Amino acid sequence: MSAPAPNGQALLSDRELEVIELVATGLTNQEVADSLELSKRTIDNHISNILSKTKTENRVALVRWALRWGKVCLDDVNCCTLPYRSPNPSAPELLTD
């Protein structure tokens, strides 16, 4: 398990951040798995690791944590702090205002 960043935020992988974004939209673990073309078991493991790293107890607490730390954008909340991530990994990332 990785140590927390100096500012108190958990260190999460790009994949874990991707999973959080999909959880925050209301998808089930199976729907997240389908969206990322992974097995449900893999997503279950990601969610378990994310909950542990963020010290959250459930999906609702995780989404609250993600909103607090600017990891997700929901209905124009926190959107100004997030960089745009292209769905194409080889495309350059753009920042939005």
Side-chain angles (χ1 to χ4, degrees):
M1 177 160 53
S2 60
N7 62 3
Q9 291 187 42
L11 295 175
L12 300 171
S13 69
D14 288 342
R15 177 63 84 186
E16 289 169 333
L17 292 171
E18 214 174 1
V19 169
I20 291 172
E21 288 174 2
L22 293 171
V23 167
T25 66
L27 297 183
T28 65
N29 286 9
Q30 183 62 59
E31 291 167 332
V32 172
D34 293 343
S35 175
L36 297 177
E37 298 180 352
L38 297 170
S39 73
K40 181 183 175 291
R41 174 111 172 127
T42 298
I43 298 304
D44 292 343
N45 288 335
H46 279 308
I47 296 286
S48 179
N49 291 338
I50 293 165
L51 292 175
S52 178
K53 286 180 179 183
T54 60
K55 297 181 177 135
T56 54
E57 304 251 340
N58 55 52
R59 295 164 72 90
V60 173
L62 175 61
V63 172
R64 289 176 49 91
W65 177 91
L67 285 167
R68 177 179 180 209
W69 291 103
K71 303 296 183 187
V72 295
C73 174
L74 295 175
D75 299 326
D76 296 326
V77 174
N78 289 345
C79 294
C80 59
T81 62
L82 299 177
Y84 169 75
R85 276 195 235 147
S86 172
N88 179 354
S90 62
E93 293 187 353
L94 305 173
L95 297 178
T96 60
D97 291 315

